[in-house]
Amino acid sequence: MNENRRDFLKTAGIASAMTLFGGALISSELVAQNELFINNNIHKLPKLPYKFNDLEPIIDATTVEIHYTKHHQGYVDGLNKAEAAISEALGKNNLELIDYWTKKLSFNGAGHYLHTLYWNSMSPEGGGQPSGKLADQIKINFGTFEKFKNLFTTAAKTVEGSGWAMLAYNPQNKKLIVLQIENHQKLTTWEIIPLMVIDVWEHAYYLKYQNKRLEYINSWFDLVNWKNVEKLFSVHNNNDN
Ligand code: MN3
């Protein structure tokens, strides 16, 4: 990618709501909120919806800053690089390394998407419980909010290695489900709409919580931006009514 062009676009703040992934995975609402994409399909780091220190004391400012400016930026850069490499390979009609680049595309693309959803899954004014249709759906699919919370917490705690836990909506059978994700891209069931994620890679919590992942997850619930989760749910649940 042309560095000058990237700098120009970054400075100019040119944004358009282009989709990162085709199909059901992308949330148009999420894209609109964050102006994820700039011209020519070059992906950029979305604006963080709060300041680095706004999630304290639950997540410290240093963790948020490194996570956002180094880790998330790295996935954005990796995604752009993979797309450029695939484009170049097509141009040269040489697909010899395409298995490598499609893996990079998946890992970095999913990493970019999940981090964007992660930042929006939290708010300094978060916590409590969901309301409205989402609250009703949680009761229908999990029994009670506490049962859902226990399922989500246990899923997050037991992810092997680096990964995530996700609350998602399946529009095919109109059910909410909880998933474990390994790395950024493994163990999904593909037809689902992601609504909320917690990052349980160690870089998300290790400075403050060290090996105590469960303590991080329990504290994290006091940051959950239920308004955003409800909004994403309502976008995809609208046609059901
Ligand atoms: Mn992360």
Side-chain angles (χ1 to χ4, degrees):
M1 180 186 0
N2 182 313
E3 288 298 321
N4 289 334
R5 175 155 181 79
R6 184 205 280 173
D7 286 343
F8 163 74
L9 290 170
K10 202 188 275 178
T11 307
I14 297 167
S16 63
M18 304 177 75
T19 51
L20 174 57
F21 304 102
L25 187 64
I26 195 67
S27 152
S28 56
E29 196 63 19
L30 188 67
V31 172
Q33 276 177 33
N34 294 288
E35 301 180 332
L36 277 178
F37 313 105
I38 52 182
N39 288 348
N40 294 337
N41 286 323
I42 296 170
H43 307 277
K44 69 166 189 173
L45 195 63
K47 195 174 181 306
L48 198 64
Y50 32 73
K51 296 194 296 296
F52 294 144
N53 64 357
D54 279 347
L55 303 181
E56 288 192 342
I58 296 171
I59 304 180
D60 60 283
T62 306
T63 294
V64 175
E65 182 173 0
I66 294 172
H67 199 173
Y68 174 71
T69 64
K70 304 297 182 192
H71 293 275
H72 189 169
Q73 181 71 61
Y75 302 127
V76 172
D77 294 345
L79 174 60
N80 284 324
K81 193 174 170 185
E83 287 191 347
I86 291 167
S87 199
E88 193 183 330
L90 280 170
K92 289 181 176 171
N93 213 11
N94 178 357
L95 302 185
E96 199 180 342
L97 296 177
I98 214 66
D99 58 335
Y100 174 82
W101 286 115
T102 51
K103 277 181 196 166
K104 291 289 182 192
L105 180 75
S106 175
F107 176 77
N108 288 288
H112 175 33
Y113 180 85
L114 288 180
H115 280 89
T116 303
L117 183 57
Y118 175 65
W119 303 126
N120 285 283
S121 296
M122 302 182 288
S123 161
E125 289 86 39
Q129 293 191 15
S131 58
K133 284 184 177 178
L134 179 63
D136 295 342
Q137 196 68 42
I138 282 175
K139 286 194 186 101
I140 291 167
N141 295 140
F142 304 114
T144 63
F145 177 77
E146 285 309 315
K147 282 191 170 192
F148 153 71
K149 189 178 171 185
N150 192 27
L151 173 63
F152 187 90
T153 299
T154 307
K157 176 176 174 267
T158 56
V159 172
E160 287 181 6
S162 299
W164 306 72
M166 174 186 283
L167 171 66
Y169 178 62
N170 185 336
Q172 309 290 328
N173 61 10
K174 300 177 182 176
K175 280 185 178 175
L176 294 168
I177 55 168
V178 169
L179 291 171
Q180 285 190 329
I181 298 161
E182 289 178 1
N183 295 347
H184 305 309
Q185 75 284 26
K186 298 175 186 170
L187 301 184
T188 186
T189 174
W190 300 119
E191 74 275 33
I192 49 99
I193 308 291
L195 299 178
M196 164 178 120
V197 282
I198 181 171
D199 188 340
V200 292
W201 285 56
E202 285 185 345
H203 66 229
Y205 63 88
Y206 206 83
L207 285 183
K208 182 177 167 77
Y209 297 92
Q210 289 85 47
N211 62 323
K212 298 186 283 284
R213 187 191 280 188
L214 182 58
E215 203 175 295
Y216 157 66
I217 299 163
N218 284 331
S219 304
W220 184 83
F221 266 93
D222 289 332
L223 289 176
V224 173
N225 184 357
W226 286 113
K227 288 281 163 266
N228 192 67
V229 186
E230 285 164 16
K231 197 195 283 184
L232 291 176
F233 177 64
S234 71
V235 168
H236 298 286
N237 188 243
N238 266 350
N239 296 335
D240 298 345
N241 301 313

